[in-house]
Amino acid sequence: MSEQTAPLRLTQKLLAAPRGAKQAMMLALDMMALLAACFVVPWLFGVPLSALPFIKDQQIFVAIYVPLGLCLLWFLQFYRMVVRTLDHSAVSKMVQAGIGLSVLAALIFLDRTSVAKAAALGVVVGGVSIGLAGLGRVLVRNLIARIGGAPVGDPLLIYGAGRAGHQLASALANDPRFRPVAFLDDDPALQNLRVGSLNVHPGKALEDLSKRHNTKRIAIAIPSLGRRRRREIMDELARQEFEVLSIPAFADLVAGTHAVSDLRKVQIGELLERDVVDLSQSRMHRWFVGRTVMVTGAGGSIGSEVARQALQLGIERLILFEMSEVALYTIHQELKGQTHEVELIPILGSVTDAARVAAIFTAHKVDAVYHAAAFKHVPLVEANALAGIENNILGTETVAQAAGAHGVQRFVLVSTDKAVRPTNVMGATKRLAELVIGAAQQDHPGTVFSMVRFGNVLGSSGSVIPLFERQIMQGGPVTVTHPEIIRYFMTIPEASQLVITAGLQANGGEVFVLDMGAPVKIIDLARRMIQLSGASVRDAQNPDGDIEIRITGLRPGEKLYEELLIDTDAVATPDPKIFCARERGMPTAEVAETLGALRSAIETSQAQQALAILERAVPDYTRSGDAQDLDGTQAPHIFPHTIPGGRA
């Protein structure tokens, strides 16, 4: 056994020893500390060490003080502290123990001197005792760290020297991933101070600290930081190519669902995110109390979030209607863990299955429907036009007509900005679905039908964000279809919240459009995501960069920019993020004729015929040469209608 491995193995054995054995070792150390204090204090007052063991009063003091002192420490749960993770609670416990030992020593001294002298001697003996006991623990901890070969994490800067920053630094003291090296803070009152074992520096010292500690990794530890200031900080850190980590949100810390040390990479959505309010506190949303809500496409990005938020509104019953078994199981299991008061009804089925849809409304008195079921991936729908037409148009007509026939009070169609002057099959199907809803309003005036139209949502299955994240993790390249392409982005929670709110503002037939904020250039988005990951962009100006951005050309049916309005100005609503428009519709007879023709084309698998019908119904639709599907009369195209638990 080498000299290096022997101490390491000994330390590992000590760390693996039973808790009782470790407590016995600390008890022995404390006994030596108390004994030492009994001899150090008289020696400090001039009594020779050689004479102390033979002084009767000293013998009596040691015989009383040491065993009672150890009992006091045990009573104060001194031996429940884990030496490797000493923190501020340990300091508090040691102060309590120091006071207790001082009182004990003073009481013993009262038998032979005045109260004042006894109190003074007690404070000195208690202070020395707890000081030696604490020193022993610190030495043991350092010895374990050194001999035990505790892994040294990567250097980490912490932005925020407040309570959260201090907690983060303490939590990472024994973390093998990171080693906090310095604080940065905007507060002048904290700058140039020392918090814990780290110095606090102003934000302008970031570049110097990065070079000094050879790190490009920083953690944002200000859970209450405003969004505007957070974006400013993120932008500056991204510009300097820092890998930015963040502690959980303040609400998660308070709820106890996450610890301050649960660092995660900052997502691009945090730079674009806007405030989301608690709908349950709104007077308008009290309409939902005791109601039954049905969400179609409940396993999708928007549908699942609408379901989550509806759960908080005091509803009595939530019907989750979804075609994907996996998606339905996932959202149902998630929501089951969040409530025992709302009845959850998961139903597996397709919105094109008229019998099954009607059965749902017959079995349950549904008050509100949020129709989020749709095929929405532009290139996939472009290549599978018949499937997209059947699901997005005929499925919408099936659910809307059944809802109106069964007296549903409110029906909200989740639409898309791609429905405005569409250049792809998906957008055209959503525009015709909007016209279907307008016709349903005329057929069923007792139901309030409305549509909510918005752009891209961050984190959805069709969003560019997850694609960029995967490409960055693989080392690139990050693919952008066109250098000038722009999009509007909104977070899933905010979009779902506004969908719910807009539906309550409707009187019938309105198209609501959401304030999507400022447009984002996709190539700039890709660049910021690369920089936030701690990598650099490889381009002509920086040929030695880490990740390349590659231009691939527009995809089938893709537009450089999207619009939200067709032919009219939107008017404001009570919610500043929601605008209302009334757009031209289509007579119900013409809608019925169009749907009948589409149904016939789908049943005979006539893709080109169906696309021609779609073009006539949506005059603004600019058809691309990529729109196609299986085409022919030999094998009729039939969308799967056989649903487990349902019928063909």
Side-chain angles (χ1 to χ4, degrees):
M1 184 183 298
S2 68
E3 293 182 1
Q4 289 184 337
T5 58
L8 176 59
R9 292 186 181 181
L10 177 61
T11 304
Q12 290 174 341
K13 286 182 179 180
L14 290 175
L15 291 175
R19 183 67 189 151
K22 295 176 183 177
Q23 289 177 333
M25 286 187 282
M26 295 312 302
L27 191 69
L29 282 175
D30 288 342
M31 183 176 67
M32 289 188 285
L34 297 184
L35 277 171
C38 291
F39 286 89
V40 167
V41 172
W43 174 73
L44 290 175
F45 284 94
V47 180
L49 284 175
S50 58
L52 279 172
F54 305 102
I55 298 175
K56 186 175 181 180
D57 285 346
Q58 174 70 6
Q59 294 171 351
I60 295 173
F61 181 82
V62 170
I64 298 174
Y65 178 71
V66 173
L68 288 182
L70 293 175
C71 290
L72 177 65
L73 295 179
W74 187 275
F75 176 76
L76 291 173
Q77 299 181 346
F78 211 57
Y79 300 103
R80 291 192 178 183
M81 294 187 298
V82 180
V83 174
R84 286 176 292 167
T85 58
L86 293 178
D87 55 12
H88 66 279
S89 63
V91 175
S92 174
K93 193 72 74 177
M94 292 179 75
V95 170
Q96 296 175 24
I99 294 172
L101 291 172
S102 297
V103 171
L104 175 62
L107 290 174
I108 298 173
F109 282 124
L110 270 178
D111 186 47
R112 65 200 74 177
T113 186
S114 65
V115 174
K117 287 184 178 180
L121 286 170
V123 169
V124 174
V125 172
V128 172
S129 298
I130 201 62
L132 291 174
L135 179 63
R137 278 162 172 73
V138 171
L139 291 175
V140 169
R141 186 182 68 173
N142 291 342
L143 197 64
I144 290 173
R146 287 180 178 276
I147 298 179
V152 178
D154 296 329
L156 175 74
L157 299 173
I158 299 178
Y159 207 114
R163 183 175 181 180
H166 187 204
Q167 289 179 343
L168 176 61
S170 299
L172 296 178
N174 295 284
D175 194 303
R177 301 171 299 164
F178 307 112
R179 174 170 52 89
V181 292
F183 284 114
L184 295 104
D185 204 287
D186 295 332
D187 187 355
L190 291 174
Q191 293 168 6
N192 301 317
L193 295 180
R194 193 171 180 84
V195 175
S197 60
L198 304 178
N199 292 322
V200 183
H201 303 268
K204 61 184 180 182
L206 176 63
E207 190 173 349
D208 178 61
L209 289 170
S210 173
K211 292 177 181 177
R212 187 190 312 171
H213 296 286
N214 190 30
T215 183
K216 277 290 186 178
R217 184 177 281 117
I218 188 167
I220 306 296
I222 313 177
S224 58
L225 192 65
R227 296 188 191 277
R228 179 176 298 179
R229 179 57 184 152
R230 188 180 186 85
R231 282 195 294 268
E232 291 174 355
I233 293 173
M234 297 293 188
D235 286 339
E236 177 60 24
L237 294 173
R239 186 186 65 79
Q240 297 193 38
E241 298 178 353
F242 271 85
E243 179 184 352
V244 186
L245 305 173
S246 179
I247 65 174
F250 183 72
D252 292 329
L253 295 177
V254 172
T257 56
H258 289 85
V260 72
S261 58
D262 292 338
L263 289 176
R264 57 180 175 77
K265 287 190 176 183
V266 170
Q267 304 298 315
I268 193 70
E270 296 180 50
L271 305 187
L272 305 171
E273 187 175 358
R274 298 182 291 182
D275 292 328
V276 178
V277 301
D278 184 359
L279 294 184
S280 63
Q281 302 303 311
S282 165
R283 185 172 298 177
M284 174 191 295
H285 295 89
R286 292 175 186 170
W287 180 88
F288 285 98
V289 175
R291 307 276 188 175
T292 295
V293 173
M294 174 177 169
V295 181
T296 70
S301 305
I302 293 295
S304 61
E305 184 60 29
V306 168
R308 291 184 193 100
Q309 295 196 24
L311 209 64
Q312 312 303 319
L313 298 177
I315 63 175
E316 180 178 320
R317 185 179 296 107
L318 179 60
I319 300 172
L320 306 169
F321 191 45
E322 171 60 54
M323 182 172 63
S324 165
E325 180 188 19
V326 174
L328 181 61
Y329 175 81
T330 301
I331 186 62
H332 183 232
Q333 290 300 308
E334 176 190 333
L335 298 184
K336 265 177 46 177
Q338 296 179 9
T339 182
H340 298 290
E341 300 174 355
V342 179
E343 182 184 1
L344 296 174
I345 304 176
I347 299 179
L348 197 60
S350 168
V351 292
T352 61
D353 186 343
R356 189 151 179 80
V357 170
I360 295 172
F361 290 112
T362 301
H364 305 285
K365 187 183 182 304
V366 179
D367 297 294
V369 174
Y370 288 90
H371 183 53
F375 291 157
K376 60 184 180 179
H377 293 264
V378 170
L380 282 179
V381 177
E382 203 73 3
N384 297 271
L386 289 174
I389 290 170
E390 182 172 18
N391 192 66
N392 295 1
I393 300 173
L394 300 184
T396 298
E397 190 254 354
T398 297
V399 180
Q401 290 296 330
H406 288 82
V408 171
Q409 295 187 44
R410 292 185 177 273
F411 185 103
V412 182
L413 169 69
V414 177
S415 191
T416 170
D417 56 0
K418 293 177 177 60
V420 180
R421 284 176 272 281
T423 59
N424 50 66
V425 176
M426 195 280 280
T429 61
K430 293 300 283 185
R431 176 55 188 153
L432 189 47
E434 292 179 351
L435 296 173
V436 166
I437 293 301
Q441 183 65 79
Q442 298 177 50
D443 293 336
H444 304 283
T447 298
V448 176
F449 289 89
S450 61
M451 298 145 271
V452 183
R453 189 187 290 157
F454 53 92
N456 297 275
V457 288
L458 293 165
S460 71
S461 58
S463 170
V464 71
I465 307 296
L467 172 63
F468 284 175
E469 287 175 341
R470 289 194 299 271
Q471 291 175 336
I472 290 170
M473 287 181 63
Q474 294 167 1
V478 172
T479 56
V480 177
T481 59
H482 194 283
E484 298 301 321
I485 195 168
I486 63 171
R487 288 292 182 265
Y488 293 88
F489 285 98
M490 178 177 283
T491 62
I492 293 174
E494 183 183 17
S496 302
Q497 175 198 91
L498 295 177
V499 165
I500 292 173
T501 303
L504 292 180
Q505 295 180 359
N507 294 311
E510 298 96 334
V511 176
F512 292 98
V513 296
L514 305 185
D515 172 20
M516 299 296 297
V520 177
K521 210 169 183 179
I522 298 300
I523 195 167
D524 292 340
L525 183 69
R527 186 173 289 110
R528 292 171 79 187
M529 289 186 66
I530 291 171
Q531 292 169 339
L532 280 175
S533 71
S536 59
V537 178
R538 186 193 312 148
D539 53 21
Q541 290 74 35
N542 184 24
D544 297 324
D546 302 309
I547 296 177
E548 172 194 3
I549 297 177
R550 185 175 297 170
I551 305 299
T552 59
L554 290 174
R555 299 178 300 172
E558 189 173 33
K559 296 164 69 174
L560 281 179
Y561 62 94
E562 303 288 358
E563 306 165 88
L564 286 169
L565 292 172
I566 293 177
D567 58 357
T568 182
D569 293 330
V571 298
T573 71
D575 192 306
K577 296 180 181 179
I578 301 175
F579 297 88
C580 178
R582 282 197 175 270
E583 298 176 344
R584 65 182 185 274
M586 180 185 288
T588 54
E590 189 177 340
V591 169
E593 182 183 348
T594 300
L595 296 181
L598 284 174
R599 193 171 282 109
S600 175
I602 290 171
E603 288 173 353
T604 57
S605 195
Q606 296 292 333
Q608 296 307 313
Q609 181 183 341
L611 289 167
I613 297 168
L614 191 60
E615 278 186 298
R616 289 196 299 271
V618 185
D620 292 334
Y621 169 37
T622 304
R623 182 173 163 189
S624 76
D626 298 291
Q628 59 180 313
D629 203 328
L630 302 174
D631 202 344
T633 55
Q634 303 91 337
H637 175 93
I638 301 176
F639 191 83
H641 287 291
T642 304
I643 308 298
R647 65 188 189 193

